[in-house]
Amino acid sequence: MEKEPIIIGNWKMHKTGREASHFVEDLIPKIEGCPAKVFLAVPYTSIASCAKAAKGSAIWIGAQNMHDANEGAFTGEIAALMLKEAGASFVLLGHSERRHIFGEKNAFICKKVIRALKDDLIPILCVGETADERKEKKTKEVLQAQIFESLDGISKEEAGKIILAYEPVWAIGTGVVATGKMIQDAHEICKNALVDLFGKRKADLISILYGGSVNPENAKEILKEDLVDGLLVGGASLNVDSFAKIISPNPTKKRKKS
Ligand code: PGA
């Protein structure tokens, strides 16, 4: 069966609510009829305006983080139900900037995954090794630990709702993209970890995306790699033409029968 690729834009801390909704309005006609699922992870303050602008289109709006509690004394934090009510359908969890700048650990990320599933947001779990970890040949160990510990306790029934994004930390925002071989090897490690956790049938339902310096020039090639079900795009998703170019020339690729 052929699957539509999932293309996610991660805006990080960019765009006001007004700028964001104008972007969505501009993007809709540019990607009409494209065989891709398009997600935009926008700042919290832009969720409502983007969800309104995206209504009736094929674009899904989501958040870049959340807390695991449903409410409480957590100054500056936000709960899944608040995101949901604002119009979010998904949430990025464990992005490398959350892990490395804000010190988030797998156990905390796991609690968020559980909460997102409970409150009906699609959790998009991000994993990836640093340059040093790769140099020390620890990529497999790191990815496995991130996946096992961040998905600890998730039932097989819920596994199919999760999306995984492999983003090598050294490729994020650097202009250095992983080679095809590196991407395939890492996606295989991720896939095997998911099979260990949930069994082959359920693991096959989990899309694995690549992220890290994706741009309109390299997107098509990366999407052709085996086990790559889509892309997580940071910098190149901030410009509507460049993001539309990443989405629209997607080759529909033949999937291996499982
Ligand atoms: P980049 O970011 O595309 O700018 O490298 C990707 C990400 O952080 O998700």
Side-chain angles (χ1 to χ4, degrees), residues 86-238:
S89 316
F90 71 92
V91 60
L92 301 184
L93 296 174
H95 186 278
S96 91
E97 284 145 24
R98 299 301 316 170
R99 292 175 187 270
H100 297 287
I101 305 174
F102 300 100
E104 290 191 11
K105 300 276 179 277
N106 293 328
F108 184 37
I109 295 162
C110 183
K111 287 191 196 169
K112 299 183 193 212
V113 174
I114 292 168
R115 170 63 63 183
L117 287 167
K118 189 158 184 253
D119 289 344
D120 199 25
L121 285 177
I122 299 168
I124 300 178
L125 174 66
C126 305
V127 297
E129 81 288 357
T130 63
D132 283 348
E133 288 163 346
R134 177 165 281 273
K135 232 182 275 159
E136 291 161 21
K137 305 212 177 313
K138 288 189 179 151
T139 301
K140 185 173 178 181
E141 188 187 318
V142 169
L143 294 179
Q144 284 179 336
Q146 288 175 340
I147 292 171
F148 291 148
E149 291 170 24
S150 307
L151 296 179
D152 185 31
I154 305 296
S155 69
K156 283 190 183 185
E157 287 62 47
E158 291 191 304
K161 296 179 194 156
I162 296 165
I163 294 173
L164 192 74
Y166 166 64
E167 297 200 293
V169 179
W170 46 271
I172 295 178
T174 57
V176 182
V177 74
T179 64
K181 166 96 175 84
M182 287 174 179
I183 296 174
Q184 280 198 19
D185 289 350
H187 279 230
E188 201 179 324
I189 293 167
C190 293
K191 178 77 177 191
N192 289 337
L194 294 173
V195 172
D196 280 359
L197 278 176
F198 305 119
K200 169 118 176 60
R201 205 167 55 84
K202 292 290 177 186
D204 280 347
L205 300 174
I206 303 177
S207 295
I208 308 177
L209 319 184
Y210 168 81
S213 295
V214 173
N215 61 39
E217 284 71 49
N218 61 27
K220 207 168 161 175
E221 283 310 303
I222 299 172
L223 273 175
K224 282 187 200 154
E225 300 293 346
D226 256 4
L227 298 177
V228 174
D229 299 309
L231 304 167
L232 178 47
V233 188
S237 71
L238 288 170

